[in-house]
Amino acid sequence: MVLQLINPDVEIKMVENTPDDPRQRKPIITKATELLGWEPKVKLRDGLPLMEEDFRLRLGVPKKN
């Protein structure tokens, strides 16, 4: 999905996690839904471009056209 939405020419590299990196990338949200009534508001397809923009702003990396 990153290739489709962000950049089809990007090379995705698998690297070792840092010690503070979350171990589970797709958390099971059943407990949050049951106990708190929480549901995600943003779909992954919509959220990835927002995350890219946020990371670019934080890191000071311009988007290449």
Side-chain angles (χ1 to χ4, degrees), residues 1-8 10 48-50 52 56 63:
M1 195 172 298
V2 170
L3 294 174
Q4 291 174 351
L5 297 174
I6 307 300
N7 182 348
V10 73
L48 277 176
L50 299 174
E52 177 200 15
R56 288 187 180 283
K63 185 167 184 162

